């Protein structure tokens, strides 16, 4: 769990935000501004969200249903990430 929060989570969040912004036509400066604005709040929300999800999944859900529940939590997280990525463009320093 610690490895996921410390390594995988930040890396995948940066990739998600960067690729999403690039596909929307943002340049490198705008992408960096977007990451500076949204990366930390998203990571902090992830640190609060995933431990609760893991606790619920491994404590209360039967083993044969754990993948379904875990994927459901992932789906909700993806909705949140998409919301964060769709916020207005960040201000760039001129």
């Amino acid at each position: 769990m610690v490895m996921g929060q410390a390594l995988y989570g930040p890396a995948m969040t940066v990739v998600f935000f960067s690729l999403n912004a690039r596909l929307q036509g943002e340049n490198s400066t705008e992408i960096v501004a977007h990451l500076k604005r949204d990366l930390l709040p998203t990571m902090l929300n992830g640190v609060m969200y995933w431990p609760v999800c893991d606790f619920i999944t491994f404590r209360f859900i039967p083993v044969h249903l754990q993948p379904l529940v875990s994927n459901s939590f992932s789906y909700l997280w993806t909705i949140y990430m998409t919301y964060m990525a769709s916020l207005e463009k960040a201000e760039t320093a001129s």
Side-chain angles (χ1 to χ4, degrees), residues 30-63:
E30 293 170 327
I31 292 171
V32 170
H34 183 74
L35 289 172
K36 285 181 180 178
R37 183 191 70 189
D38 295 335
L39 184 61
L40 185 59
T42 303
M43 295 308 308
L44 291 175
N45 286 332
V47 168
M48 292 184 290
Y49 178 74
W50 285 110
V52 172
C53 295
D54 289 341
F55 175 76
I56 291 169
T57 301
F58 296 120
R59 176 68 175 101
F60 300 111
I61 306 300
V63 173

Side-chain angles (χ1 to χ4, degrees), residues 64-81:
H64 70 283
L65 294 176
Q66 286 179 358
L68 174 65
V69 172
S70 181
N71 286 333
S72 298
F73 285 132
S74 293
Y75 178 71
L76 295 174
W77 181 250
T78 303
I79 292 171
Y80 169 74
M81 292 275 292

Side-chain angles (χ1 to χ4, degrees), residues 2-53:
V2 172
M3 292 285 288
Q5 292 293 328
L7 300 175
Y8 182 76
M12 289 300 105
T13 303
V14 168
V15 168
F16 181 84
F17 282 155
S18 299
L19 286 176
N20 189 35
R22 179 64 73 187
L23 291 172
Q24 291 181 15
E26 293 184 17
N27 61 35
S28 298
T29 306
E30 293 170 327
I31 292 171
V32 170
H34 183 74
L35 289 172
K36 285 181 180 178
R37 183 191 70 189
D38 295 335
L39 184 61
L40 185 59
T42 303
M43 295 308 308
L44 291 175
N45 286 332
V47 168
M48 292 184 290
Y49 178 74
W50 285 110
V52 172
C53 295

